[in-house]
Amino acid sequence: MNNKRHFNTILVTGGAGFIGSHVVRRLLTAHPDSRIVNVDLLTYAGNLSNLDDIPALAGENRYRFVHADIADGDMMRRVIAEEKADAIVNLAAETHVDRSIVDPGSFARTNVLGTMSLLNAARAVWEASPEGYEGKMYYQISTDEVFGALGEGDAPFCETTPYNPHSPYSAAKSSADHFVRAYHDTYGLPVLISNCSNNYGPNQFPEKLMPLVINNIKHGRDIPVYGRGLNIRDWLYVTDHAEAIDTILHNAAAGSTYCVGGNNEQRNIDIVKALIAVTDRQLGRPAGSSDRLITFVTDRKGHDLRYAIDSSRLQNDLGWKPATTFAEGLEKTVAWYLDNTRWLDDITSGEYARYYERMYGSR
Ligand code: NAD
Ligand code: DAU
């Protein structure tokens, strides 16, 4: 499909995180005439080693990293203006539901106030430019968690499903989405929103289910399964999400929303069993060696039962569909974490955090 629009400079926020790093790589590869500016605060979840290959891939002048907080409005205005950013893709966020239950305030700060600060900065710089909003786009990366929880027989979430968030994380993401739509309706800011299901793949911080389970299997540690493991998520391989983001950014009508998903509903206990099978095999251990590690633990507070996404609007309008089968994605994911021992160990030992504290101050 030929893209409908071109951007000279795309500002990606949260580009040192899990999905953001794949988005940076995808945009640089698919758009050789675009520059990428990556704004990231390098919180505990940000990791510049996710981007080790980027300087070689981008060559001279096509990539710049800016260490900054999206909630710093003056800084965001300066970066957007100096870099002449004509698109902003906002992935920067606090993203772990369990952390949001312990510390909701940090989620309100980054996900709500941070998003507002970016919206205000985009408005200020773009409204003052000679061409105004012409050729500009603000794109908010959101989650399926804003829709709440489905029962077993309910139809999947789609673009018209009302918001009904339950966790502090999803409440903050919902609030951000409402602000994005309000800036479109009130000021005419050209915006896009997509709501995606659970991503998996390389570079995910090992507090999330898949990398945590793979790491625990490797080390022979207990695998914590919340409740009875019967909650259902819809899993999408991360590079397929990055491709969807690229497609939407370059082709979707301003003001539109898309749901992105893998059409791949799995119970948590089945994910854990599948990871045990693949990881034990890749490690050369006899089948079933790690079954004994499965440990049912106290359930997450307010744990949403089921998420599922109907992405037919995106498939019909823009021709995107997931390219990676679940079997293939699991093999690649397990292989990546087993091959990238240093990446995993530097995070879990705190070595990475200590290094970036020395480089950039406290995280
Ligand atoms: P992540 O936690 O791996 O990365 C978040 C990144 O944002 C990190 O690099 C972090 O340093 C950066 N960051 C955090 N606060 C910041 C701030 N104030 N200023 C600048 N940078 C900041 O997250 P992820 O899983 O890659 O998710 C990225 C986005 O996609 C989030 O908005 C999330 O809500 C959304 N999303 C994630 C999933 C998923 O399954 N992971 C699914 C749907 C939507
Ligand atoms: O649906 C999209 C969302 O997916 C994103 O918006 C979030 O940023 C992302 O973190 C993810 O949220 P989840 O809460 O679904 O992901 P997590 O990996 O934390 O958990 C997946 C499921 O596994 C969930 O039902 C809780 C369960 N779980 C999780 C962990 C960390 C366990 O049973 N044990 C665990 O140790």
Side-chain angles (χ1 to χ4, degrees), residues 14 16-20 39-43 45-47 68-71 90-95 109-110 141-143 169 173 196-199 204 208 241:
F18 166 46
I19 302 172
V39 170
D40 199 298
L41 184 59
L42 297 180
T43 66
N47 189 338
D69 183 348
I70 59 163
N90 182 26
L91 293 116
E94 290 295 337
T95 61
R109 183 189 171 279
T110 290
I141 306 304
S142 187
T143 169
Y169 164 68
K173 291 294 289 184
C196 190
S197 62
N198 283 61
N199 285 215
Q204 187 169 31
K208 307 279 170 68
H241 188 195

Side-chain angles (χ1 to χ4, degrees), residues 95 143-145 169 198 207 209 224 226 233 268 300 303:
T95 61
T143 169
D144 60 357
E145 301 206 9
Y169 164 68
N198 283 61
E207 64 188 348
L209 182 69
Y226 298 165
R233 299 290 182 263
N268 292 340
R300 175 183 278 173
H303 197 174

Side-chain angles (χ1 to χ4, degrees), residues 75-94:
M75 181 69 173
M76 290 306 106
R77 268 194 297 284
R78 222 169 30 245
V79 177
I80 295 168
E82 280 173 12
E83 297 291 343
K84 298 190 171 49
D86 43 6
I88 298 170
V89 183
N90 182 26
L91 293 116
E94 290 295 337

Side-chain angles (χ1 to χ4, degrees), residues 166-238:
H166 297 142
S167 72
Y169 164 68
S170 55
K173 291 294 289 184
S174 301
S175 173
D177 291 1
H178 291 317
F179 274 107
V180 172
R181 285 204 184 86
Y183 275 56
H184 176 259
D185 296 348
T186 308
Y187 309 113
L189 187 77
V191 304
L192 297 166
I193 299 177
S194 57
N195 300 87
C196 190
S197 62
N198 283 61
N199 285 215
Y200 71 103
N203 308 100
Q204 187 169 31
F205 194 84
E207 64 188 348
K208 307 279 170 68
L209 182 69
M210 285 223 197
L212 180 106
V213 170
I214 297 166
N215 198 33
N216 284 14
I217 296 169
K218 186 174 112 182
H219 292 289
R221 292 188 200 124
D222 286 353
I223 299 168
V225 177
Y226 298 165
R228 301 304 301 162
L230 301 179
N231 302 66
I232 294 170
R233 299 290 182 263
D234 175 352
W235 294 88
L236 177 68
Y237 195 66
V238 63

Side-chain angles (χ1 to χ4, degrees), residues 5 137-140 159 180-181 184 190-195 248 251-258 313 317-318:
R5 46 179 94 88
M137 191 58 76
Y138 176 98
Y139 183 2
Q140 179 77 1
E159 289 77 4
V180 172
R181 285 204 184 86
H184 176 259
V191 304
L192 297 166
I193 299 177
S194 57
N195 300 87
I248 293 167
N251 298 286
S256 59
T257 292
Y258 283 96
R313 180 188 280 184
D317 285 5
L318 304 180

